[in-house]
């Protein structure tokens, strides 16, 4: 018998159920000239099909459309189920692998395409809220400098309510300042060492970002009063007399009030030669806390700079935290030399002349889509020569940017300038 059929309007094609014993699950009904007659389910029950079930079938509203990773997460979360041919749910396939997100034709919109084993679905994404966005970074100001000319130095990104980049980052941005939880009118650049909370807010109050602003030290920093030792003129780790301290003419652009070679507070340094960590800025053998022998580049001991001090003889010291994970010394806080013959920045601050770097980390390095090293794009094995296009700062670290727009680390323990 040949008979025309039509879909059952009560059958949920998004959620097929393999149960032919209940009338509300039949897929097709018989169509005659005068009346619809249901045939037995066992006779006309159709085999369920592969399918992608979405929570939102036509469009996907989202509040954050500026970050690509957030878009993908929203699109993946929109997948409620994947069905096999036999109407069983596929619990092995990662929904993220079936999603493709591309920009739409208007600001704040995008195309979302799903493809699962030959089944495709397309929906659109729409903007539902104000897309204003603002971002910033901590920074320092020189002692005695003009605050008004620097107050927007912490801004790194500003998007308007349509998600479009604002050309002049400070346009429409309001600034509020706090010191120790109390609101003040401005950063007092004569308040040496003070740390202010500076909040940038968009004009419509839709987005804000708080950064820390540190005032640099005065030319002269008090001696370490915790020690009566006067042996700072001896050559401990290469510091001799006042040669490592230059308070009379501080020219460090980061506002530390220290020599240009001095690492910025919060940044990472490592030892190129054997050094010790001491309990105070006056180095005595009896106050040694840890020993760090000279090591190969990839194994050099690393520290984070917490602050500065000087010996009674005027030699600059770093107050540091040991960040050599897995070592017995990890977490120790003490003083090490700041002499650049012994301790230097972990991150490169210049471009290689040849625009070439070589991977030296035995596990290789990754290239990432974003400057904060998220969105892994590629892996470079040890010994790979990589051509770098430019050089970018990220907080207190640095990155090399490749010609394809991805980023790699500029950590000297992982890469070296030139071909090796």
């Amino acid at each position: 018998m040949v008979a025309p059929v039509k879909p059952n309007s009560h059958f949920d094609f998004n959620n097929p159920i393999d149960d032919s014993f209940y009338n509300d699950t039949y897929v097709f009904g018989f169509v005659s000239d005068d009346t619809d007659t249901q045939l037995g389910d066992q006779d006309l029950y159709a085999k369920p099909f592969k399918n992608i079930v979405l929570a939102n079938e036509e469009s996907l509203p989202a509040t954050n459309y500026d970050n690509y990773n957030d878009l993908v997460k929203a699109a993946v979360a929109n997948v409620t189920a994947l069905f096999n041919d036999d109407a069983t749910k596929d619990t092995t396939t990662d929904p993220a692998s079936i999603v493709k997100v591309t920009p739409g034709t208007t600001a704040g919109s995008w195309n979302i395409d799903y493809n699962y084993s030959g089944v495709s679905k397309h929906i659109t994404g729409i903007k539902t809220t104000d897309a204003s966005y603002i971002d910033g970074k901590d920074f320092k100001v020189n002692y005695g400098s003009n605050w008004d000319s620097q107050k927007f130095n912490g801004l790194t990104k500003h998007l308007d309510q349509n998600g479009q980049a604002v050309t002049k980052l400070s346009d429409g941005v309001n600034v509020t300042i706090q010191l120790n939880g109390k609101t003040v009118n401005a950063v007092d650049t004569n308040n040496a060492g003070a740390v202010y909370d500076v909040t940038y807010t968009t004009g419509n109050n839709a987005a804000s970002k708080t950064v820390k602003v540190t005032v640099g030290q005065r030319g002269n920093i008090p001696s370490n009063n915790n020690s009566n030792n006067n042996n700072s003129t001896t050559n401990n780790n290469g510091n001799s007399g006042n040669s490592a301290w230059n308070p009379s003419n501080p020219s460090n652009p980061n506002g530390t009030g220290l020599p240009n070679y001095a690492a910025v507070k919060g940044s990472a340094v490592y030892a190129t030669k054997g050094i010790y960590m001491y309990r105070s800025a006056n180095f005595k053998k009896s106050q040694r806390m840890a020993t760090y022998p000279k090591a190969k580049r990839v194994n050099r001991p690393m520290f984070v700079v917490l602050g500065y001090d000087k010996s009674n003889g005027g030699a600059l010291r770093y107050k540091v935290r040991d960040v050599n994970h897995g070592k017995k010394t990890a977490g120790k806080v003490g003083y090490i030399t700041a002499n650049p013959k012994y301790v230097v920045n972990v991150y490169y601050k210049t471009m290689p002349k040849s625009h070439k770097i070589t991977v030296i980390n035995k596990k290789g390095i990754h290239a990432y889509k974003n400057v904060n090293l998220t969105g892994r794009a590629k892996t470079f094995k040890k010994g790979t020569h990589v051509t770098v296009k430019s050089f970018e700062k990220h907080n207190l670290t640095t990155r090399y940017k490749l010609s394809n727009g991805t980023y790699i680390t500029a950590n000297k323990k992982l890469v070296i300038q030139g071909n090796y």
Side-chain angles (χ1 to χ4, degrees), residues 96 201 245 259 276 330 340 391 409:
T201 306
W245 187 267
Y276 299 101
F391 176 82
T409 181

Side-chain angles (χ1 to χ4, degrees), residues 50-287:
K50 288 191 180 78
N51 199 18
I52 307 168
V53 182
L54 304 177
N56 294 282
E57 288 283 340
E58 295 183 358
S59 63
L60 179 64
T63 57
N64 184 352
Y65 65 87
D66 178 60
N67 185 294
Y68 176 80
N69 292 329
D70 288 341
L71 292 182
V72 173
K73 288 180 182 178
V76 170
N78 193 41
V79 179
T80 61
L82 301 172
F83 283 99
N84 296 308
D85 280 335
D86 59 359
T88 58
K89 287 186 176 181
D90 182 351
T91 58
T92 63
T93 300
D94 180 2
S97 67
I98 72 169
V99 175
K100 180 181 179 181
V101 179
T102 55
T105 56
T106 60
S109 69
W110 59 92
N111 300 310
I112 304 173
D113 292 284
Y114 300 89
N115 192 296
Y116 167 62
S117 191
V119 177
S120 299
K121 284 193 176 184
H122 171 83
I123 65 173
T124 58
I126 57 174
K127 177 184 66 178
T128 60
T129 61
D130 191 314
S132 298
Y133 179 79
I134 200 166
D135 202 5
K137 63 179 181 180
D138 299 344
F139 67 101
K140 296 188 177 184
V141 294
N142 286 327
Y143 179 85
S145 60
N146 181 277
W147 163 244
D148 285 338
S149 65
Q150 305 175 82
K151 63 183 179 181
F152 292 113
N153 284 3
L155 284 175
T156 59
K157 190 172 186 179
H158 182 189
L159 303 180
D160 63 21
Q161 60 185 4
N162 296 314
Q164 301 300 306
V166 178
T167 303
K168 187 178 180 181
L169 296 180
S170 60
D171 280 350
V173 175
N174 299 315
V175 180
T176 55
I177 305 166
Q178 287 193 328
L179 177 63
N180 300 324
K182 295 182 179 180
T183 300
V184 295
N185 293 325
V187 169
D188 182 2
T189 61
N190 292 315
N191 189 1
V195 179
Y196 291 80
D197 292 314
V198 175
T199 300
Y200 301 111
T201 306
T202 55
N204 56 4
N205 295 318
S208 66
K209 174 68 176 183
T210 299
V211 303
K212 293 190 178 298
V213 177
T214 304
V215 179
Q217 298 291 339
R218 294 197 236 201
N220 292 301
I221 295 180
S223 297
N224 182 356
N225 294 323
N226 295 324
S227 173
N228 58 7
N229 180 276
N230 291 310
N231 71 341
S232 59
T233 56
T234 61
N235 192 349
N236 272 319
N237 295 325
N239 287 290
S240 177
N242 291 306
S243 61
W245 187 267
N246 181 22
S248 62
N249 185 28
S251 55
N252 193 309
N254 295 298
T256 60
L258 306 178
N260 286 341
Y261 65 77
V264 178
K265 183 178 179 181
S267 63
V269 297
Y270 69 7
T272 58
K273 299 180 181 180
I275 65 168
Y276 299 101
M277 178 186 285
Y278 295 84
R279 290 187 177 86
S280 77
N282 288 295
F283 293 172
K284 292 178 62 177
K285 188 174 182 178
S286 61
Q287 291 193 345

